[in-house]
Amino acid sequence: MNYEIVKTHICDILPGDTIIFHGELKTVCKSNIKHDKFMGTSIFGDCYMGGRKPVEKVVIKRAMPVGLWVNA
């Protein structure tokens, strides 16, 4: 596996981060993060129980395995 999963608070997720959302890896863009006075912050429409449920953030160790680099 080329990544590790870190449980973090929803407010620590930034555009460009990758999370596990409903069992799939998803990259978060600025338009996916919404702020509401009543529900708080939401990502992909999920408020993660108002911040009480941690978000599974994916930390990618290496984008490509070393042996696949091609010199041009």
Side-chain angles (χ1 to χ4, degrees):
M1 192 159 36
N2 212 11
Y3 60 87
E4 64 179 276
I5 298 170
V6 177
K7 294 187 180 202
T8 186
H9 193 269
I10 190 168
C11 292
D12 295 331
I13 302 297
L14 300 172
D17 287 344
T18 303
I19 65 170
I20 295 181
F21 185 73
H22 294 298
E24 296 181 13
L25 291 175
K26 293 220 175 220
T27 302
V28 179
C29 353
K30 186 177 178 180
S31 64
N32 301 129
I33 302 172
K34 305 285 185 199
H35 301 283
D36 182 83
K37 289 181 184 179
F38 179 69
M39 295 299 290
T41 303
S42 66
I43 300 174
F44 300 116
D46 190 346
C47 67
Y48 288 88
M49 294 176 56
R52 292 186 304 269
K53 178 182 169 188
V55 179
E56 293 181 321
K57 180 178 177 180
V58 176
V59 179
I60 299 173
K61 297 177 185 176
R62 186 176 307 209
M64 291 180 64
V66 176
L68 294 179
W69 291 99
V70 178
N71 292 332

